[in-house]
Protein backbone atom coordinates (compact mmCIF):
# COMPACT_ATOMS: atom_id res chain seq x y z
CA UNK A 1 0.00 0.00 0.00
CA UNK A 2 2.76 2.45 0.94
CA UNK A 3 4.69 1.59 -2.22
CA UNK A 4 1.63 2.28 -4.37
CA UNK A 5 0.94 5.56 -2.58
CA UNK A 6 4.54 6.67 -3.04
CA UNK A 7 4.45 5.69 -6.71
CA UNK A 8 1.19 7.60 -7.25
CA UNK A 9 2.42 10.72 -5.47
CA UNK A 10 5.75 10.80 -7.30
CA UNK A 11 4.31 10.30 -10.76
CA UNK A 12 1.25 12.49 -10.24
CA UNK A 13 3.54 15.34 -9.16
CA UNK A 14 5.69 14.84 -12.24
CA UNK A 15 2.59 14.77 -14.44
CA UNK A 16 1.16 17.92 -12.90
CA UNK A 17 4.48 19.78 -12.97
CA UNK A 18 4.98 18.95 -16.64
CA UNK A 19 2.11 21.35 -17.35
CA UNK A 20 2.00 23.40 -14.12
CA UNK A 21 2.98 26.76 -15.61
CA UNK A 22 1.33 26.23 -18.98
CA UNK A 23 -2.06 27.68 -17.91
CA UNK A 24 -0.22 30.80 -16.71
CA UNK A 25 1.87 31.04 -19.88
CA UNK A 26 -1.22 30.60 -22.09
CA UNK A 27 -3.15 33.15 -20.01
CA UNK A 28 -0.39 35.74 -20.54
CA UNK A 29 -0.14 34.99 -24.26
CA UNK A 30 -3.92 35.04 -24.65
CA UNK A 31 -4.28 38.37 -22.87
CA UNK A 32 -1.11 39.70 -24.49
CA UNK A 33 -0.42 41.20 -21.10
CA UNK A 34 1.41 40.32 -17.88
CA UNK A 35 -1.11 42.31 -15.82
CA UNK A 36 -1.43 40.93 -12.29
CA UNK A 37 1.84 38.96 -12.35
CA UNK A 38 4.50 40.15 -9.91
CA UNK A 39 7.96 40.15 -11.49
CA UNK A 40 9.75 40.07 -8.09
CA UNK A 41 7.60 37.06 -7.18
CA UNK A 42 8.66 35.21 -10.34
CA UNK A 43 12.35 36.05 -9.87
CA UNK A 44 12.31 34.94 -6.22
CA UNK A 45 10.47 31.74 -7.11
CA UNK A 46 13.13 30.90 -9.68
CA UNK A 47 15.87 31.52 -7.13
CA UNK A 48 14.15 29.27 -4.58
CA UNK A 49 13.67 26.50 -7.13
CA UNK A 50 17.31 26.74 -8.19
CA UNK A 51 18.76 26.52 -4.67
CA UNK A 52 16.40 23.69 -3.71
CA UNK A 53 17.22 21.66 -6.82
CA UNK A 54 20.96 22.16 -6.32
CA UNK A 55 20.66 21.04 -2.68
CA UNK A 56 18.83 17.85 -3.66
CA UNK A 57 21.29 17.08 -6.46
CA UNK A 58 24.33 17.76 -4.28
CA UNK A 59 23.27 15.32 -1.55
CA UNK A 60 22.08 12.76 -4.14
CA UNK A 61 18.50 12.48 -2.93
CA UNK A 62 16.24 9.99 -4.77
CA UNK A 63 15.68 11.38 -8.27
CA UNK A 64 11.90 11.00 -8.21
CA UNK A 65 11.66 13.26 -5.14
CA UNK A 66 12.83 16.32 -7.05
CA UNK A 67 12.62 15.54 -10.78
CA UNK A 68 9.85 18.12 -11.25
CA UNK A 69 12.15 21.04 -10.40
CA UNK A 70 14.08 21.13 -13.70
CA UNK A 71 10.69 21.13 -15.45
CA UNK A 72 9.40 23.98 -13.27
CA UNK A 73 12.56 26.02 -13.77
CA UNK A 74 12.30 25.65 -17.56
CA UNK A 75 8.64 26.74 -17.52
CA UNK A 76 9.40 29.67 -15.20
CA UNK A 77 12.13 30.85 -17.58
CA UNK A 78 9.65 30.79 -20.47
CA UNK A 79 7.15 32.71 -18.33
CA UNK A 80 9.85 35.20 -17.38
CA UNK A 81 10.60 35.87 -21.05
CA UNK A 82 6.87 36.33 -21.72
CA UNK A 83 6.52 38.80 -18.85
CA UNK A 84 9.50 40.86 -20.01
CA UNK A 85 8.22 40.72 -23.59
CA UNK A 86 4.84 42.18 -22.67
CA UNK A 87 6.49 44.72 -20.39
CA UNK A 88 8.30 45.98 -23.47
CA UNK A 89 11.92 44.80 -23.16
CA UNK A 90 12.68 41.08 -23.35
CA UNK A 91 16.45 41.82 -23.31
CA UNK A 92 16.14 42.76 -19.62
CA UNK A 93 15.75 39.05 -18.86
CA UNK A 94 19.33 38.29 -19.98
CA UNK A 95 21.16 39.48 -16.81
CA UNK A 96 18.83 37.44 -14.61
CA UNK A 97 19.37 34.29 -16.67
CA UNK A 98 23.15 34.76 -16.51
CA UNK A 99 22.88 35.23 -12.73
CA UNK A 100 20.89 32.02 -12.30
CA UNK A 101 23.28 29.98 -14.44
CA UNK A 102 26.27 31.33 -12.50
CA UNK A 103 24.59 30.60 -9.16
CA UNK A 104 24.06 26.95 -10.18
CA UNK A 105 27.83 26.41 -10.31
CA UNK A 106 28.76 28.71 -7.43
CA UNK A 107 26.40 27.00 -4.96
CA UNK A 108 28.49 23.82 -4.81
CA UNK A 109 32.02 25.21 -5.10
CA UNK A 110 32.22 24.68 -1.33
CA UNK A 111 29.85 22.72 0.88
CA UNK A 112 29.39 25.67 3.24
CA UNK A 113 27.89 27.68 0.36
CA UNK A 114 25.03 25.25 -0.24
CA UNK A 115 24.57 24.90 3.53
CA UNK A 116 24.36 28.67 3.86
CA UNK A 117 21.95 28.91 0.94
CA UNK A 118 19.65 26.42 2.64
CA UNK A 119 20.11 28.24 5.99
CA UNK A 120 21.07 25.15 7.96
CA UNK A 121 22.66 24.44 11.33
CA UNK A 122 24.94 21.67 12.55
CA UNK A 123 22.68 18.75 13.47
CA UNK A 124 23.21 15.83 11.11
CA UNK A 125 20.89 13.18 9.71
CA UNK A 126 21.95 9.59 9.24
CA UNK A 127 20.34 8.30 6.07
CA UNK A 128 22.58 9.84 3.38
CA UNK A 129 25.35 7.34 2.49
CA UNK A 130 27.22 9.00 -0.36
CA UNK A 131 28.21 12.60 0.25
CA UNK A 132 28.98 14.41 3.44
CA UNK A 133 25.68 14.45 5.24
CA UNK A 134 23.29 17.39 4.91
CA UNK A 135 22.36 19.48 7.88
CA UNK A 136 18.94 19.80 9.44
CA UNK A 137 17.39 23.14 10.43
CA UNK A 138 17.63 24.75 13.83
CA UNK A 139 16.55 28.32 13.31
CA UNK A 140 15.67 29.15 9.74
CA UNK A 141 15.77 27.97 6.17
CA UNK A 142 17.00 30.61 3.74
CA UNK A 143 15.79 28.72 0.67
CA UNK A 144 12.29 28.43 2.12
CA UNK A 145 12.41 32.11 3.09
CA UNK A 146 13.19 33.04 -0.53
CA UNK A 147 10.35 30.92 -1.86
CA UNK A 148 7.95 32.23 0.78
CA UNK A 149 8.97 35.79 -0.10
CA UNK A 150 8.02 35.07 -3.72
CA UNK A 151 4.49 34.09 -2.65
CA UNK A 152 4.15 37.16 -0.44
CA UNK A 153 5.35 39.35 -3.31
CA UNK A 154 2.53 37.99 -5.47
CA UNK A 155 0.03 38.43 -2.65
CA UNK A 156 1.16 42.00 -2.06
CA UNK A 157 0.83 42.75 -5.78
CA UNK A 158 -2.73 41.39 -5.77
CA UNK A 159 -3.65 43.30 -2.62
CA UNK A 160 -2.27 46.53 -4.02
CA UNK A 161 -3.83 46.28 -7.47
CA UNK A 162 -7.02 44.50 -6.30
CA UNK A 163 -6.96 42.88 -9.72
CA UNK A 164 -6.03 39.29 -10.55
CA UNK A 165 -5.47 40.26 -14.20
CA UNK A 166 -3.88 37.42 -16.20
CA UNK A 167 -2.87 35.41 -13.12
CA UNK A 168 -3.93 31.75 -13.49
CA UNK A 169 -5.75 30.29 -10.49
CA UNK A 170 -5.28 26.82 -12.02
CA UNK A 171 -1.48 27.14 -11.89
CA UNK A 172 -1.54 28.12 -8.20
CA UNK A 173 -4.04 25.37 -7.35
CA UNK A 174 -1.90 22.75 -9.06
CA UNK A 175 1.12 24.08 -7.17
CA UNK A 176 -0.78 23.51 -3.92
CA UNK A 177 -1.41 19.89 -4.89
CA UNK A 178 2.26 19.25 -5.70
CA UNK A 179 3.29 20.57 -2.27
CA UNK A 180 0.74 18.33 -0.53
CA UNK A 181 1.97 15.30 -2.49
CA UNK A 182 5.59 16.13 -1.71
CA UNK A 183 4.82 16.25 2.00
CA UNK A 184 3.70 12.63 1.67
CA UNK A 185 6.74 11.53 -0.38
CA UNK A 186 9.17 13.28 1.98
CA UNK A 187 7.64 11.57 5.01
CA UNK A 188 7.85 8.21 3.25
CA UNK A 189 11.43 8.53 1.97
CA UNK A 190 13.97 10.95 3.44
CA UNK A 191 12.02 12.46 6.39
CA UNK A 192 14.23 15.52 5.91
CA UNK A 193 12.76 18.17 8.23
CA UNK A 194 14.22 21.02 6.15
CA UNK A 195 12.34 19.86 3.07
CA UNK A 196 9.20 18.96 5.01
CA UNK A 197 8.93 22.43 6.56
CA UNK A 198 9.43 23.97 3.13
CA UNK A 199 6.56 22.02 1.57
CA UNK A 200 4.17 22.73 4.46
CA UNK A 201 4.83 26.47 4.19
CA UNK A 202 4.59 26.44 0.40
CA UNK A 203 1.29 24.54 0.55
CA UNK A 204 -0.22 27.15 2.83
CA UNK A 205 1.03 30.10 0.76
CA UNK A 206 0.10 28.63 -2.63
CA UNK A 207 -3.42 27.98 -1.34
CA UNK A 208 -3.59 31.55 -0.01
CA UNK A 209 -2.58 32.99 -3.39
CA UNK A 210 -5.14 30.83 -5.22
CA UNK A 211 -7.88 31.94 -2.82
CA UNK A 212 -6.88 35.60 -3.27
CA UNK A 213 -7.02 35.27 -7.06
CA UNK A 214 -10.52 33.79 -6.83
CA UNK A 215 -11.59 36.56 -4.44
CA UNK A 216 -10.58 39.36 -6.80
CA UNK A 217 -11.95 37.50 -9.83
CA UNK A 218 -15.36 37.28 -8.15
CA UNK A 219 -15.11 40.96 -7.22
CA UNK A 220 -14.43 41.85 -10.87
CA UNK A 221 -17.43 39.81 -12.01
CA UNK A 222 -19.74 41.52 -9.50
CA UNK A 223 -18.52 44.99 -10.50
CA UNK A 224 -19.31 44.23 -14.13
Amino acid sequence: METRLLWFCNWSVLGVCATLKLPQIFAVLGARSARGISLPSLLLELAGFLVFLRYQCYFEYPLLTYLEYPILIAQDLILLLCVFHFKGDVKRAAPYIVLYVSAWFILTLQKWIIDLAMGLSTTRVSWVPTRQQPLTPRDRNLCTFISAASKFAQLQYLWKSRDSGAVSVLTWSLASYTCAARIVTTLMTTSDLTILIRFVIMLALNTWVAATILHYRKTDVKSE
Side-chain angles (χ1 to χ4, degrees):
M1 181 63 182
E2 288 186 2
T3 303
R4 291 181 180 179
L5 177 61
L6 182 61
W7 181 91
F8 173 79
C9 288
N10 278 328
W11 287 103
S12 66
V13 166
L14 290 176
V16 168
C17 287
T19 58
L20 180 63
K21 296 290 183 174
L22 294 185
Q24 183 60 81
I25 293 170
F26 290 147
V28 170
L29 293 175
R32 300 191 64 79
S33 168
R35 184 170 59 92
I37 298 176
S38 168
L39 181 58
S41 172
L42 183 55
L43 293 171
L44 286 168
E45 182 179 68
L46 263 170
F49 283 166
L50 184 73
V51 173
F52 190 70
L53 174 62
R54 199 58 169 134
Y55 172 83
Q56 298 253 39
C57 292
Y58 182 78
F59 290 114
E60 299 180 4
Y61 275 41
L63 182 62
L64 284 177
T65 63
Y66 65 88
L67 189 57
E68 70 270 21
Y69 279 87
I71 302 171
L72 290 173
I73 289 172
Q75 292 179 59
D76 259 356
L77 287 173
I78 294 172
L79 180 58
L80 181 66
L81 292 173
C82 290
V83 169
F84 274 114
H85 172 71
F86 289 113
K87 287 184 179 292
D89 189 4
V90 72
K91 293 180 180 179
R92 286 178 55 201
Y96 294 105
I97 294 174
V98 171
L99 179 63
Y100 291 134
V101 172
S102 300
W104 176 262
F105 295 101
I106 292 171
L107 281 168
T108 52
L109 288 177
Q110 296 290 333
K111 183 179 176 296
W112 65 266
I113 300 177
I114 191 69
D115 286 342
L116 179 63
M118 287 296 290
L120 302 173
S121 68
T122 57
T123 307
R124 299 187 180 277
V125 296
S126 59
W127 77 272
V128 181
T130 50
R131 286 188 179 269
Q132 187 174 354
Q133 295 174 354
L135 308 173
T136 57
R138 177 180 299 168
D139 298 313
R140 63 192 181 92
N141 184 318
L142 185 58
C143 176
T144 298
F145 177 80
I146 293 172
S147 295
S150 77
K151 315 303 179 186
F152 276 113
Q154 182 62 59
L155 283 167
Q156 185 179 36
Y157 193 92
L158 291 169
W159 294 333
K160 183 178 180 180
S161 65
R162 303 184 67 82
D163 180 11
S164 58
V167 184
S168 170
V169 68
L170 179 57
T171 287
W172 287 94
S173 300
L174 291 174
S176 298
Y177 168 76
T178 62
C179 290
R182 279 306 179 209
I183 290 172
V184 175
T185 60
T186 301
L187 288 171
M188 295 178 68
T189 53
T190 65
S191 297
D192 188 316
L193 188 58
T194 300
I195 294 175
L196 188 60
I197 291 172
R198 171 188 169 84
F199 284 131
V200 170
I201 294 173
M202 293 305 103
L203 171 60
L205 292 176
N206 282 331
T207 304
W208 192 359
V209 173
T212 304
I213 295 168
L214 285 174
H215 170 71
Y216 288 122
R217 195 146 295 168
K218 289 178 181 179
T219 301
D220 291 342
V221 172
K222 288 181 180 179
S223 64
E224 290 175 2

